[in-house]
Amino acid sequence: MTPIASRVPSAFLLLVAGVLACVACSGIPPATAWRPEVRSAGEAGAVVPGPYTLRVEMSDSSTAGSGAAIRRQLGGIVEDMLARRGFIRVAELAEYTITFSYRGGTRYFQEWRTEVNNVSTTTTSWKTQEKRRKESEQRKGDGKGETVKVGKTENTNTSTSVTSSTDVTRHPFVATLEVAGADSAAIWQADARWESASPDILT
């Protein structure tokens, strides 16, 4: 295996996992994970730079159009990434047939959240009671006691839980890059899966 051949699989993974999952540097990234889940299969070492033809396929329920403009832009991204790694796009006599396809959709669900509030309450109750004087003082006096107010303090801890829901919209994506030889036999494939707050795969 040549050194450049060993770097090609990483390049494809970066193409699928890096470019399509990246978002603008400013603002909050719409992707729910820092990188999509990636899996690959096939003989990666057999893929070395060479002439290729490119197909871009899409199935996206979040758009009503044909997707021709999106496919053209995605094809340009893939072609640019492959050109940097020594691959040349041709119209015929290609060594590889490379297919980039993706499937997008929309998922609606409710996100539930429970907040627990802990409250501590201090309550003081008062009652009146008679307090007797010392016997020596009672003998000298009229024998009566005195009336005083006595307070009793109690602490009570109370927990209150409030559950609320929010309507959430997410867009799941599955992107696949397939490499086939001149005889249309599959050589290598990489899949990426992620979920985004934005329906735009081009970001």
Side-chain angles (χ1 to χ4, degrees), residues 20-54:
L20 296 177
C22 288
V23 294
C25 295
S26 61
I28 300 175
T32 57
W34 73 274
R35 56 174 286 180
E37 176 189 355
V38 178
R39 73 174 180 184
S40 61
E43 296 295 330
V47 183
V48 296
Y52 72 95
T53 57
L54 178 64

Side-chain angles (χ1 to χ4, degrees), residues 16 58 106 113 117 149 184:
V16 177
M58 63 172 280
T106 305
R113 182 177 63 181
N117 300 318
K149 282 189 174 181
S184 299

